[in-house]
Amino acid sequence: MSSDKVDVAKMLSFIPPASAVYSRQVKYSEKRVKLVYDASLNQGTLRLSKKLASLLGITNEAEISVGGGRVRLRFKAVIDESIEDDTTIWVNPEDVRPRGVADGSTVVVRAPR
């Protein structure tokens, strides 16, 4: 019998500590949100919350995708700091209605690629 002792700490050194695993911030590239018509917006404009814009990295333009990429549209982004809801975006109905996107549809919003 051999009396070689195994160093357990050395064996487990490749596993990161729990604090390193749980402290990672997730970077979102896109998010599913509800699209709501707002006729008061200018055509080609999309309004969203500051929280949603910062989460997705949107500064001045945003892209929405409907139906798994069937319809892709680009808009000038208007970031509204007074909005608390980060699950809704607002667009002019004249921009999306001709493309078959209804009020209350679920769409994917992202920064333009």
Side-chain angles (χ1 to χ4, degrees), residues 53-90:
S54 64
L55 177 73
L56 300 175
I58 296 172
T59 54
N60 56 0
E61 274 193 338
E63 179 181 285
I64 65 168
S65 177
V66 185
R70 179 178 54 89
V71 177
R72 278 192 180 177
L73 304 167
R74 274 195 178 192
F75 293 94
K76 179 180 174 266
V78 174
I79 300 169
D80 192 343
E81 296 186 15
S82 65
I83 299 173
E84 295 294 324
D85 186 10
D86 65 340
T87 61
T88 307
I89 60 171
W90 293 264

Side-chain angles (χ1 to χ4, degrees), residues 94-108:
E94 301 303 318
D95 291 330
V96 293
R97 190 181 294 143
R99 307 254 164 101
V101 182
D103 188 22
S105 297
T106 300
V107 300
V108 175

Side-chain angles (χ1 to χ4, degrees), residues 11-25:
M11 285 179 34
L12 298 176
S13 65
F14 67 92
I15 299 173
S19 61
V21 173
Y22 290 118
S23 69
R24 292 184 185 149
Q25 295 294 330

Side-chain angles (χ1 to χ4, degrees), residues 5-70:
K5 291 188 177 182
V6 178
D7 188 8
V8 176
K10 191 173 185 179
M11 285 179 34
L12 298 176
S13 65
F14 67 92
I15 299 173
S19 61
V21 173
Y22 290 118
S23 69
R24 292 184 185 149
Q25 295 294 330
V26 177
K27 174 71 173 136
Y28 293 98
S29 61
E30 60 186 28
K31 185 172 181 181
R32 292 178 66 187
V33 295
K34 184 177 179 180
L35 182 136
V36 177
Y37 288 169
D38 185 358
S40 67
L41 288 172
N42 295 331
Q43 284 193 340
T45 305
L46 172 135
R47 188 176 67 191
L48 69 161
S49 70
K50 182 178 180 180
K51 181 179 176 183
L52 181 61
S54 64
L55 177 73
L56 300 175
I58 296 172
T59 54
N60 56 0
E61 274 193 338
E63 179 181 285
I64 65 168
S65 177
V66 185
R70 179 178 54 89

